[in-house]
Amino acid sequence: MTVKKLLSFLPIKAFKDPDPVVAVIRLNGVIGAAGPLRGGMTLAGLEKRLDQAFKMKNLEAVALAINSPGGSPVQSDLIAKRVRDLAAEKSLPVYGFCEDVAASGGYWLACAADHIYAQESSIIGSIGVISSGFGFPAVLDRLGIERRVRTAGHKKSTLDPFEKEDPEDIARLEGILKELHETFKSMVMERRKDRLKEDPDVLFSGEFWTGNKAVELGLIDGIGEMRTILKERFGEKVKLVPLEDARPWWRKRLGFGATGGFGATGGLGTLLSGEGLGAVAEPHEWVQGLASAAEERALWSRFGL
């Protein structure tokens, strides 16, 4: 067999003209540290996948599949900044695709993308900051319990749920919330710029909208599904390559959260601690986990999910 005939069998065209690749990273769930009964998105948990995504061969873009009701403003900021830093370093466009919800911190993540798309019924927005809790100042008296608290630093017990609210503490908390809100607003204005089409008092009120309305407001660029949009942009042969999290198969199957805690899927994973199949969660971890799970449920339920 001649060399020419041998070469005819080799996929030389694939080497010369490879199909374009888009790396897909799923950003799903509440943003923040994981607990015994809930998963959570953090930069530490996503960092490896983000780095891998931007290093893929024949890469034309990175796509973010976002489904999050929000959570920690710090982790939202850290994740979004890492996406932007990598995009600038590699000179690659980032596409954001909002699914059920991209609200609060979820929309913060969406703003890391250069182009944002959603479905008609997606929930978008909630550009605001919230602090919530409960107060039990009369419970201990009613139960005949004496509580003993000692502090070094007269503000160390600020917002103690078993004490009556102090107006000074409330004012200080509201100042912190306002500062965080300004950071969020700055991120949105920097990333969306002249695409925003509504008064800031409306956009940054904490209100949320459907995907259709979000297009009108300039919060997103259009309505569309990931595969369809990316094929229109990069051609029919574009390869969408999902970057999976690094959990072992048994952790995924049993419902363990991506960062070492538990996911919301239940199963045997809800009975065991994140360190392995033989370890049972401590009682205080269950209490904290139940509170975290209730908080997570409340975040999703705000948007009818």
Side-chain angles (χ1 to χ4, degrees), residues 37 45 56 63 106 123 126 134 147 153 171 183 210 226 235 252 275 280 304-305:
L37 291 177
M56 294 182 67
I123 298 298
S126 191
F134 298 93
R147 184 163 179 262
T183 301
T210 64
M226 180 188 295
K252 300 176 189 178
E275 294 303 318
V280 179
L305 298 170

Side-chain angles (χ1 to χ4, degrees), residues 36 80 85 130 187 200 225 269 271:
D85 287 346
I130 186 172
M187 167 66 170
E225 177 267 337
L271 300 177

